[in-house]
Amino acid sequence: MKSKPQPLNELELYRKMLVIRIVEERLAKSHQRGLIHGACHTYVGQEAIATGVCAHLRSEDAIFSTHRGHGHALAKGLEPGSLIAELYGRETGCSRGRGGSMHLFAPEIGMLGTSGIVGPCILQAAGAGYSFKLMKTDNVGVAFFGDGAANNGAFHEGLNMASIWNLPVLFVCENNQFATEVPFASVAGNPSVAARGAAYGMHSVELDGNDVLAVEAAAREAVQRARSGGGPTLLECKTYRTRPHAEGMGDFTYRTKDDVEQWKTRCPIKRLREHLLTGKKATAAQLESIEQEVHDLTEVAHLFAENSPYPSAESATSHVYAATSLVAARDVPAPTASERELSFMKATLEALSEEMARNPKIFVLGEGIGARGGNFATTNGLFALYGPERLRDTPICERGFVGLAGGAAMSGTRPVVDFMFADFVLDAAGEIINQIAKIQYMSSGRLEMPVLLRGCIGIGHAAATHHSGSYYAMYANFPGLRVVVPSSPRDAKGLLKTALTCGDPVLFLEHRELMATKGPVPEGEYYIDFGQAAVVRQGSDVTVVALALMVHKTLAASELLEVDGISVELIDPRTVAPLDIETILKSVKKTGRLLIVDEAFGPFGIGAEIAAQLADIGFDELDAPIRRLNGKASPTPYSPTLEAAVVPSIDLIAQTIRDLYAE
Amino acid sequence: MPIHITLPRLGWSMEEGIFLEWLKKSGDYVKDGEPLFTLESDKAAQEVESTDSGILHIPSYGAAPGAKVKVGAVLGYLLASGELPPDEQTSSPPLPSSPAPVPHHLPLGEGAAADTGSLKHKLQSDTPASPRARRAAKATGVDLAALQPTGKGGRIRECDVLAASLELGGTGMKWRTTPTSPLRRTIAERMEHSKRNTVPVTITTRCDATGMVSLRTQLKAAAEFRVPSFIDIITKLAAGALKSHPHLSGRWADGAIQLPEAIHIGVAVDTELGLMVPVLRDVAGLALSQVSQKSQELFERARRGGLKATEMRDACFTITNLGGLGVEAFTPVINYPETAILGVGAIVREAVSLEDGTLVSRQQLTLSLTFDHRAIDGAPAARFLQTLRQRLEHPLVWLLNER
């Protein structure tokens, strides 16, 4: 059975707040002494909120927090030594020295992370709520965030999703009245955060965040509601931080010393102390003994941290990818003359359908992917089998549901985000790049992020510029992401199945002009490993590397060239990240010539990367300069004549190969 | 213990600051939280609060107002009542918190001198040539300077070097790759797999096919239905032989032999796409006419590329035929994971000496059997071949009774 929270123990609340305060003061001192290498945002003055809320949480409940997260981590149960060591950059820190003050992770106790970016914690808590509901537990997700986040899109998108899906989530706004150093009143059209909750049909409460008993009572009700299926709650806790935004920063350019002194008299710890003494709930001697004990344990924690080793430099890049990222995929059955003809779309639907049947933790998010079956029939027929929880139609809030998917992955489910067009998901770039791609690393591999992000790319049929981008090179630039770009139904199925069993976040980008094309697909289940290029056509004069639609165009060009006596070897990397440069090198050893044909823009693209890598390891193999043929570097135009002019044609590919052959 | 007052880091990138002035005098009692000194960083001047309490001691070597001081350098001490300051004679002067920067560039000299070797190399290869051509020149001993370049802008290409090398009597052969079909690659893979995973031995025997030939002649004369081919007849008769020598139809797996429930026989067919092996199911349970009908249907679809995957699975024995192309004996490759494969050669008319010494003209056929020696020894394999030969020599005897 799960552990039950303790009944209210005011002395324990006192002790917890004191631990946060004394540890923060110790950290402030250490910051001055140079023991802390980066930023340090303390929680001094706000201790009642984390303490009152976490009093009702179990280790299975998940909390998500901000750059000011030390207090949340300690209240959730993080050992002070583990926190201090993280800020000192040591191996024993809770993120093993990979995070520091703003990126604290302790999944073992349900501390699923703090973030240096304002907003994502709200979406991630909603994601945890989604996981908990899907897995039929009564755990809750909690987001702690400041007043600054209440003006951020994540707040609005996250609250709306939590409300419409009735998710077990607490949104705890710590309104300390300054968004960094900007007074909240000056940037809020409606200065009541709690009132905004009502706009999303959510229980909302405004309370004195410096009164730990008030916070404790409100949180008790909210947690109870979430656990019993009553849905989310927004708590607006009014408070004040009495130290600067970050240690070492001047404090009196935007507020006065008098204001700070005034708020210090409302210190939540002092208040509880007086309450305990006047109510005769504790003696002064009892409280002093707690204070002494907390001072001592903080000193021990500091010494532990200071004497801990730094992580070894060799480990700097470990945990970028999940330990289970490359599953031992089974071999593809040998091709036979009798493979079925399936469309690209049907092949991926088969993969998704097989994996959803096997793994109940897989769910799909997207616009129109429920009963409608997806804009491109990507989920056709699955809604009838699995219902709305696993095939979830979303509001049009790309950042919101991608952020939610990240939180769901962190809390144990496997979300598939079906975003229709790759252009749309750029609104969620921060969630993908700053959160989903980095969390495995920041948590030192203790969290895996199996998020599948799929959608279509590619120019054609006058879709114009907001429905035609490719973007794979951009994603491949970020460590932590896998980027898959299949060109055939057979590869699409095998690669999608690997993506659905891989521990890493995967961008699965499908060229829209290929979705209806048919090709042979083996019977039964099979997986294709990432990082294994396919030799699509064998040849001996020129090596051409191409992806997606360009594979087909190059194949057609190769047939034309065969008549001229030019023999083309065509390689489809299939995954951009990881990139199989070895297969390309093997081919160039034979041909001495390399052309990269890419529909996407040339500058800083995949062609540049392949050329540079190949020149590094295969310079002596080259009998001619490496060439690139790219789509024109312009937004995609609408008119057919203009559109055709920006995409490499079969004739242009053939001519470019001829030229390279003559170099 | 005296508490060290050090220069704090005020921003992420701050490495040093300008110490402006003490806000307390040496000997003053300083309380935790009280302003202690002012400091100018790259952002602005600000007061720094004490994080501890004690009696301030400002040492004689302490930072002068306006001095640039490294982050972490000791500015002074907070002492307990009666505590002595650290001995100024032996205490170390303020130290920068970060180590002295290491110069990125080593002085020139040694490195520059060592470079003269490559200069000579550069002079030798003035002619523009691709890296691949240079490597080929080195390997073949061709002098780049003497070549007629064919590349753009007068660049020497590998082919120029190889052509020159050929003239000099060297080897400069370049191979040309022809694309192959996925089926070709599958066949290659399976052949390699068989070679790696079996211990093949091939034995051959001659048998008298006169009976088979005359049987077909008689059936042709009737001509009401499709006349079974030699392969149909051999396939049907082989099924019976396999029943009495079951190990030939088994599979060697994990040190044991798996025997099939029914005799499914694969028959190799040469098609434009490549070699295919459709499987005739339960041959022992079929009449010859049914074998013939089924095989015709399968072969036709195989030639059109229309076989289903299931129609090429589960064989326990394969028959392959090169007789039509005049080959008499050969060494077929086992269709792994089967144990044996029968190669059927050409039927040739030969003079045969009977026991009484008279010469007669007979139709002769050579059978080649390759078997996996892991699963079966030579003698039992030969006994199977003997049984099969007897059956082929008197086909009617067996065909009459066997269904």
Side-chain angles (χ1 to χ4, degrees):
Chain A
M1 279 305 290
K2 288 163 184 159
S3 56
K4 283 266 177 203
Q6 296 291 313
L8 177 62
N9 179 340
E10 293 183 352
L11 278 180
E12 184 53 31
L13 294 177
Y14 182 71
R15 186 180 173 283
K16 201 66 147 188
M17 286 198 291
L18 208 56
V19 168
I20 299 173
R21 173 69 55 91
I22 306 292
V23 168
E24 290 288 39
E25 285 177 345
R26 172 68 249 184
L27 289 171
K29 191 178 290 188
S30 297
H31 184 268
Q32 276 218 2
R33 297 269 162 83
L35 280 167
I36 293 171
H37 311 277
C40 176
H41 304 83
T42 71
Y43 195 63
V44 171
Q46 305 181 196
E47 294 89 345
I49 304 166
T51 305
V53 172
C54 291
H56 299 294
L57 301 182
R58 312 178 292 221
S59 61
E60 299 85 359
D61 296 320
I63 69 165
F64 302 83
S65 150
T66 68
H67 56 283
R68 197 175 306 289
H70 307 166
H72 307 124
L74 292 170
K76 192 75 191 342
L78 187 67
E79 289 298 328
S82 187
L83 171 69
I84 298 173
E86 184 59 31
L87 273 88
Y88 293 2
R90 308 303 167 113
E91 178 64 34
T92 53
C94 63
S95 302
R96 311 287 183 260
R98 282 163 170 73
S101 170
M102 290 186 282
H103 317 97
L104 306 170
F105 288 86
E108 302 78 11
I109 56 163
M111 171 66 206
L112 294 199
T114 66
S115 170
I117 308 291
V118 167
C121 63
I122 296 175
L123 302 171
Q124 287 161 359
Y130 203 99
S131 281
F132 296 150
K133 203 168 175 192
L134 187 66
M135 294 192 286
K136 304 202 187 323
T137 70
D138 66 347
N139 301 334
V140 301
V142 180
F144 292 100
F145 53 94
D147 45 278
N151 282 339
N152 185 286
F155 173 86
H156 299 276
E157 298 181 14
L159 261 65
N160 186 47
M161 289 188 294
S163 177
I164 55 179
W165 300 326
N166 202 38
L167 302 178
V169 184
L170 263 66
F171 298 102
V172 183
C173 177
E174 304 180 335
N175 185 349
N176 69 12
Q177 305 177 41
F178 294 94
T180 64
E181 285 132 347
V182 177
F184 182 60
S186 71
V187 290
N190 172 0
S192 168
V193 176
R196 299 175 184 195
Y200 296 107
M202 186 177 300
H203 292 278
S204 306
V205 185
E206 181 183 314
L207 58 125
D208 180 352
N210 280 23
D211 179 351
V212 70
L213 299 178
V215 176
E216 187 277 333
R220 176 186 297 268
E221 196 186 318
V223 169
Q224 181 99 38
R225 178 178 300 120
R227 290 205 203 287
S228 59
T233 306
L234 170 65
L235 300 179
E236 181 188 4
C237 308
K238 300 271 196 192
T239 186
Y240 200 87
R241 62 170 159 74
T242 50
R243 291 194 69 84
H245 169 69
E247 287 307 297
M249 288 174 80
D251 210 17
F252 302 121
T253 50
Y254 63 98
R255 61 183 189 179
T256 67
K257 210 160 194 170
D258 283 350
D259 286 343
V260 178
E261 290 308 319
Q262 174 59 30
W263 272 95
K264 278 184 181 168
T265 64
R266 295 166 65 178
C267 166
I269 299 173
K270 254 185 218 164
R271 277 168 75 176
L272 183 61
R273 197 176 203 279
E274 278 155 24
H275 164 84
L276 290 169
L277 290 174
T278 53
K280 304 220 179 301
K281 295 183 173 183
T283 63
Q286 255 179 311
L287 298 181
E288 277 156 22
S289 125
I290 291 175
E291 286 150 17
Q292 189 55 51
E293 180 231 337
V294 172
H295 271 106
D296 291 348
L297 76 85
T298 303
E299 197 50 28
V300 168
H302 157 73
L303 290 172
F304 161 79
E306 204 179 12
N307 290 313
S308 289
Y310 282 101
S312 72
E314 298 83 69
S315 73
T317 56
S318 50
H319 307 305
V320 174
Y321 297 97
T324 58
S325 69
L326 294 176
V327 288
R330 281 157 281 178
D331 286 342
V332 188
T336 62
S338 70
E339 290 169 316
R340 304 158 298 156
E341 288 281 312
L342 276 190
S343 76
F344 193 102
M345 229 43 268
K346 282 243 172 70
T348 62
L349 178 58
E350 214 173 71
L352 180 62
S353 173
E354 285 167 9
E355 294 301 327
M356 281 190 84
R358 178 173 299 132
N359 183 354
K361 291 179 177 176
I362 297 176
F363 69 99
V364 187
L365 292 166
E367 293 146 15
I369 56 86
R372 181 191 174 211
N375 194 46
F376 297 112
T378 46
T379 54
N380 203 11
L382 297 179
F383 185 85
L385 290 174
Y386 302 116
E389 274 198 353
R390 296 186 64 195
L391 288 128
R392 181 62 82 184
D393 276 331
T394 62
I396 301 180
C397 59
E398 273 72 15
R399 181 190 177 190
F401 60 76
V402 171
L404 180 144
M410 291 161 87
S411 51
T413 51
R414 182 180 279 278
V416 175
V417 179
D418 188 330
F419 48 71
M420 264 193 276
F421 289 90
D423 312 81
F424 298 173
V425 87
L426 291 182
D427 276 9
E431 300 302 324
I432 298 172
I433 294 164
N434 258 329
Q435 307 296 326
I436 290 171
K438 294 178 180 175
I439 280 171
Q440 288 179 165
Y441 181 77
M442 290 191 296
S443 67
S444 68
R446 288 172 297 153
L447 284 174
E448 288 198 350
M449 296 298 288
V451 183
L452 172 59
L453 299 148
R454 74 179 294 195
C456 77
I457 57 169
I459 299 172
H461 287 94
T465 200
H466 287 159
H467 296 69
S468 63
S470 282
Y471 310 112
Y472 36 76
M474 176 188 90
Y475 290 115
N477 188 229
F478 297 107
L481 298 176
R482 306 282 186 193
V483 184
V484 182
V485 188
S487 68
S488 71
R490 170 199 180 77
D491 288 353
K493 180 175 176 185
L495 290 165
L496 190 66
K497 282 175 72 75
T498 300
L500 284 164
T501 47
C502 158
D504 291 320
V506 179
L507 270 297
F508 191 87
L509 304 171
E510 303 149 277
H511 199 292
R512 204 185 63 254
E513 298 294 305
L514 293 178
M515 283 177 160
T517 59
K518 289 189 169 180
V521 177
E523 307 255 4
E525 297 197 34
Y526 63 95
Y527 297 77
I528 297 176
D529 276 346
F530 292 168
Q532 295 198 349
V535 179
V536 177
R537 183 184 197 278
Q538 296 158 314
S540 49
D541 294 331
V542 177
T543 300
V544 181
V545 177
L547 287 165
L549 183 62
M550 289 301 126
V551 171
H552 300 265
K553 288 196 170 183
T554 305
L555 209 50
S558 305
E559 297 308 322
L560 294 178
L561 292 164
E562 191 70 31
V563 181
D564 299 353
I566 300 174
S567 163
V568 174
E569 180 141 302
L570 173 59
I571 293 175
D572 174 4
R574 304 196 284 196
T575 61
V576 177
L579 179 69
D580 177 8
I581 196 72
E582 289 303 320
T583 297
I584 299 172
L585 175 65
K586 197 171 154 199
S587 176
V588 172
K589 278 186 177 169
K590 187 163 58 168
T591 64
R593 285 173 164 69
L594 175 61
L595 168 70
I596 302 103
V597 178
D598 183 16
E599 182 181 308
F601 312 130
F604 312 99
I606 180 169
E609 180 61 29
I610 291 173
Q613 287 197 31
L614 198 281
D616 272 350
I617 57 173
F619 181 71
D620 284 333
E621 306 297 341
L622 292 168
D623 205 15
I626 301 171
R627 292 287 184 226
R628 286 180 288 163
L629 175 60
N630 285 90
K632 296 253 169 28
S634 85
T636 309
Y638 166 75
S639 172
T641 54
L642 300 176
E643 186 192 73
V646 301
V647 187
S649 65
I650 293 169
D651 285 345
L652 183 58
I653 294 169
Q655 190 52 48
T656 310
I657 295 171
R658 263 189 216 106
D659 290 349
L660 178 55
Y661 182 65
E663 274 277 0
Chain B
M1 278 285 286
I3 295 164
H4 292 50
I5 300 166
T6 54
L7 192 99
R9 189 187 299 269
L10 300 183
W12 287 10
S13 56
M14 178 174 161
E15 297 298 336
E16 59 182 19
I18 298 171
F19 178 81
L20 293 181
E21 60 171 341
W22 289 102
L23 299 172
K24 297 277 179 182
K25 290 196 292 289
S26 207
D28 282 357
Y29 184 76
V30 178
K31 279 198 333 204
D32 182 5
E34 278 188 306
L36 191 56
F37 57 89
T38 52
L39 178 64
E40 188 178 315
S41 67
D42 44 4
K43 279 189 180 170
Q46 73 179 75
E47 291 181 1
V48 175
E49 291 176 4
S50 176
T51 56
D52 290 287
S53 305
I55 299 159
L56 177 63
H57 172 76
I58 302 172
S60 56
Y61 57 73
K68 268 192 187 172
V69 183
K70 294 265 185 219
V71 167
V74 177
L75 299 168
Y77 303 94
L78 290 176
L79 308 174
S81 178
E83 189 177 28
L84 288 172
D87 186 344
E88 293 187 13
Q89 294 302 317
T90 56
S91 71
S92 46
L95 283 174
S97 65
S98 44
V102 178
H104 282 287
H105 304 287
L106 291 169
L108 290 172
E110 219 181 314
D115 213 22
T116 49
S118 62
L119 192 66
K120 195 177 154 207
H121 171 75
K122 268 186 197 142
L123 285 175
Q124 273 185 345
S125 48
D126 259 356
T127 332
S130 75
R132 197 178 177 99
R134 287 176 193 281
R135 188 180 59 182
K138 214 175 192 181
T140 55
V142 168
D143 178 11
L144 285 176
L147 293 182
Q148 201 59 262
T150 61
K152 269 191 194 155
R155 191 192 304 117
I156 296 169
R157 309 191 289 176
E158 187 193 29
C159 58
D160 304 331
V161 178
L162 297 183
S165 162
L166 267 185
E167 277 174 26
L168 295 172
T171 57
M173 183 72 164
K174 193 164 190 264
W175 294 86
R176 188 175 169 76
T177 304
T178 294
T180 55
S181 67
L183 179 65
R184 179 74 254 152
R185 297 198 285 273
T186 304
I187 294 169
E189 220 169 84
R190 291 198 176 151
M191 292 299 163
E192 276 181 11
H193 199 73
S194 175
K195 195 81 187 169
R196 267 200 311 274
N197 290 289
T198 62
V199 182
V201 177
T202 303
I203 53 177
T204 61
T205 189
R206 304 269 282 173
C207 78
D208 187 336
T210 313
M212 273 202 296
V213 173
S214 86
L215 173 64
R216 288 194 75 236
T217 312
Q218 289 165 50
L219 290 172
K220 269 183 195 162
E224 285 293 308
F225 47 86
R226 173 186 142 86
V227 177
S229 67
F230 285 111
I231 291 299
D232 294 338
I233 299 168
I234 294 169
T235 303
K236 176 62 198 160
L237 292 170
L242 285 168
K243 274 180 105 175
S244 44
H245 300 267
H247 282 197
L248 270 295
S249 65
R251 291 181 176 191
W252 180 258
D254 300 327
I257 292 174
Q258 318 273 340
L259 293 178
E261 279 184 340
I263 305 292
H264 301 338
I265 296 179
V267 181
V269 189
D270 173 39
T271 75
E272 277 184 16
L273 299 166
L275 176 69
M276 305 248 194
V277 186
V279 176
L280 286 158
R281 306 187 88 78
D282 193 17
V283 179
L286 296 178
L288 175 62
S289 57
Q290 289 170 306
V291 172
S292 172
Q293 208 180 335
K294 277 262 175 223
S295 67
Q296 185 188 20
E297 186 200 317
L298 285 173
F299 291 4
E300 266 175 26
R301 269 195 294 118
R303 291 196 179 96
R304 289 202 315 266
L307 287 176
K308 292 184 199 138
T310 49
E311 289 173 323
M312 293 189 279
R313 272 188 213 141
D314 301 331
C316 57
F317 187 77
T318 295
I319 296 176
T320 178
N321 170 26
L322 289 177
L325 299 170
V327 171
E328 289 185 34
F330 57 109
T331 57
V333 177
I334 295 167
N335 192 13
Y336 187 84
E338 293 160 33
T339 290
I341 182 166
L342 180 71
V344 178
I347 294 173
V348 288
R349 183 176 290 280
E350 277 179 6
V352 172
S353 166
L354 299 180
E355 275 179 26
D356 63 1
T358 52
L359 286 177
V360 290
S361 165
R362 307 294 291 182
Q363 306 277 1
Q364 293 288 98
L365 164 68
T366 304
L367 299 174
S368 309
L369 179 79
T370 303
F371 61 93
D372 184 351
H373 209 325
R374 294 176 314 159
I376 195 158
D377 292 334
R383 271 180 224 120
F384 164 77
L385 203 52
Q386 193 176 31
T387 302
L388 184 60
R389 194 189 63 199
Q390 285 162 2
R391 294 169 71 91
L392 296 189
E393 287 179 346
H394 307 284
L396 266 178
V397 178
W398 308 97
L399 290 172
L400 262 184
N401 293 318
E402 281 179 7
R403 195 187 157 74

